Amino acid sequence: MGDTLYIVRDGTVQVFVENYEGTKIILGENSPGDIFGEISLLDGGPRTATAVATEDSELFALERQDLLDLITKHPHAAMDLLTVVGRRLRSTDELLRTHVAKNVNEEEEELMTFGERIADKVAAFGGSWRFIIFFGCILLSWVALNTVALHDKGFDPYPTSC
């Protein structure tokens, strides 16, 4: 649980998450005057990212009760904090736009050769109800033709002995 917000007084702190493939996605490089840890402080939930000092840093720690006291004495501080949260949301939206993968099927389709496209269309038709019904009608017609019309005179009559 995170109940502390941090303010960078000196140095740089990198905040990042790792995706399911283990790739590090940098959410921000916090320099003096920047804050981080506000999400957990505001909702009382667990931390959503990892913070690492990339150089010697000095931080101020602001706990939940300290924040309540600050907002009570200086209400405009709440608006400043909301502004920071709004900027983070916009930044996260932009990050999602650039890191989220396209539809895998569309990506695969872009890489297909002409022959693979034809094979896909043939396979799609061969497994369709339209083909199954059409082929069933042809098969029934063939059976009927050989049974009724060509009873003793089939295309390939049964061989007779000499």
Side-chain angles (χ1 to χ4, degrees):
M1 295 283 184
D3 60 353
T4 306
L5 171 134
Y6 296 95
I7 304 166
V8 180
R9 178 168 189 241
D10 191 34
T12 306
V13 177
Q14 185 182 79
V15 178
F16 66 91
V17 294
E18 286 188 13
N19 66 13
Y20 293 116
E21 288 100 31
T23 304
K24 184 176 174 180
I25 300 171
I26 299 171
L27 301 175
E29 293 278 343
N30 296 298
S31 54
D34 291 339
I35 66 168
F36 62 93
E38 72 280 357
I39 293 173
S40 295
L41 177 74
L42 294 173
D43 71 3
R47 298 284 184 197
T48 59
T50 302
V52 175
T54 54
E55 59 184 56
D56 286 343
S57 300
E58 187 175 343
L59 308 174
F60 291 117
L62 187 67
E63 294 182 358
R64 191 176 185 96
Q65 187 58 48
D66 297 330
L67 178 65
L68 291 173
D69 293 343
L70 176 68
I71 291 173
T72 302
K73 292 177 187 169
H74 306 282
H76 62 81
M79 198 58 171
D80 293 340
L81 184 59
L82 288 174
T83 301
V84 170
V85 171
R87 283 189 195 133
R88 291 269 162 83
L89 284 172
R90 288 181 187 278
S91 175
T92 302
D93 286 348
E94 185 60 32
L95 191 64
L96 284 174
R97 273 198 238 5
T98 59
H99 279 81
V100 172
K102 292 176 12 182
N103 183 327
V104 176
N105 293 330
E106 290 174 6
E107 287 184 6
E108 186 64 29
E109 194 170 306
E110 289 173 4
L111 300 174
M112 290 174 69
T113 65
F114 179 73
E116 290 171 332
R117 290 179 204 276
I118 297 289
D120 269 1
K121 291 188 191 289
V122 168
F125 176 68
S128 69
W129 278 108
R130 178 195 272 174
F131 174 77
I132 293 169
I133 292 169
F134 174 73
F135 185 72
C137 290
I138 296 291
L139 186 62
L140 288 175
S141 299
W142 182 258
V143 169
L145 179 67
N146 278 300
T147 304
V148 177
L150 302 172
H151 179 60
D152 290 329
K153 305 172 206 126
F155 291 114
D156 186 16
Y158 189 77
T160 58
S161 0
C162 299

